[in-house]
Amino acid sequence: AYHSIFLQDTDVRLIANFPLLPLRTRTRGPAYTLPALPSSIPAHESPDPDSESYDALDEVLSLYRANTFFRNFEIKGPADRLLIYGILTVGELLGKVPKVGGAREGEKALMNTALDNQFAMPGDAAFPLNQAFEAPRDRQDAETLRQYLSQVRQELAIRLLARLYAGNSTTPSKWWLSFTKRKFMGKSL
């Protein structure tokens, strides 16, 4: 399995054992905002991992296809928990992509899924990996975590859309859609 390169970041705020890593986003939320993507890099590509604009969501999208083949994943630190949650979210989003229709229908389906605030989070009975995630201590931590996860979900939807419809606005990438039935660790959100 491929682990997060953000494991060495020790000065990250944690809620329970979930990290609130900085994100390159314009979506409102509790995450610290990283610099925007340089104009020389297309929206459907990620910056170099050494770039100051590279964030955990770029890592989720680059490692998604490789990590979906693994049934087991050893968690080496808090950043791996964000990687796991991101991979599960991408799997959920890919399942909502319409097979026919253009980018508008795909954007509508993905953004509706990402904006739905009734998603399962660590500590909820419906969350599939509660054994690896701790529940937030109090209501305030739970609300902050929900806002952060909502921010992660929205940003992943935006970036996934850019990759799904990169060259063709009428059909989604079959290369990405071939992973819709694969479940990371046999789990789904």
Side-chain angles (χ1 to χ4, degrees), residues 77-120:
D80 276 346
R81 287 182 178 85
L82 178 57
L83 181 64
I84 289 170
Y85 186 83
I87 289 172
L88 291 174
T89 301
V90 170
E92 177 188 17
L93 292 171
L94 282 174
K96 304 291 184 180
V97 175
K99 306 296 184 260
V100 292
R104 298 265 305 152
E105 288 81 14
E107 179 180 13
K108 186 177 177 182
L110 289 187
M111 293 313 291
N112 284 341
T113 303
L115 290 170
D116 181 14
N117 277 333
Q118 302 304 316
F119 58 87

Side-chain angles (χ1 to χ4, degrees), residues 123-134:
D124 293 347
F127 191 70
L129 289 169
N130 273 331
Q131 68 273 14
F133 291 80
E134 294 176 9

Side-chain angles (χ1 to χ4, degrees), residues 8-181:
Q8 70 268 13
D9 293 354
T10 56
D11 58 341
V12 175
R13 179 177 174 208
L14 295 176
I15 292 183
N17 58 358
F18 199 91
L20 272 63
L21 291 169
L23 303 175
R24 186 185 71 245
T25 182
R26 290 187 307 258
T27 307
R28 287 179 36 148
Y32 173 76
T33 305
L34 292 174
L37 195 63
S39 59
S40 61
I41 299 175
H44 65 276
E45 292 182 14
S46 294
D48 187 57
D50 297 330
S51 168
E52 65 179 0
S53 296
Y54 189 80
D55 68 0
L57 303 185
D58 290 320
E59 183 177 57
V60 165
L61 290 169
S62 65
L63 296 178
Y64 172 77
R65 293 182 300 263
N67 274 346
T68 54
F69 291 107
F70 292 102
R71 302 274 307 150
N72 299 317
F73 188 86
E74 178 188 356
I75 297 173
K76 294 188 175 183
D80 276 346
R81 287 182 178 85
L82 178 57
L83 181 64
I84 289 170
Y85 186 83
I87 289 172
L88 291 174
T89 301
V90 170
E92 177 188 17
L93 292 171
L94 282 174
K96 304 291 184 180
V97 175
K99 306 296 184 260
V100 292
R104 298 265 305 152
E105 288 81 14
E107 179 180 13
K108 186 177 177 182
L110 289 187
M111 293 313 291
N112 284 341
T113 303
L115 290 170
D116 181 14
N117 277 333
Q118 302 304 316
F119 58 87
M121 58 182 254
D124 293 347
F127 191 70
L129 289 169
N130 273 331
Q131 68 273 14
F133 291 80
E134 294 176 9
R137 281 185 322 225
D138 55 28
R139 178 175 271 158
Q140 183 179 1
D141 278 357
E143 186 56 35
T144 303
L145 183 58
R146 183 169 293 282
Q147 289 172 356
Y148 182 76
L149 292 178
S150 179
Q151 193 176 12
V152 164
R153 291 167 63 88
Q154 290 173 44
E155 190 60 33
L156 275 174
I158 291 166
R159 294 186 197 180
L160 185 60
L161 274 168
R163 285 166 173 75
L164 281 171
Y165 296 97
N168 184 352
S169 64
T170 58
T171 58
S173 167
K174 291 179 183 174
W175 200 65
W176 275 93
L177 290 183
S178 65
F179 287 86
T180 55
K181 294 202 176 8

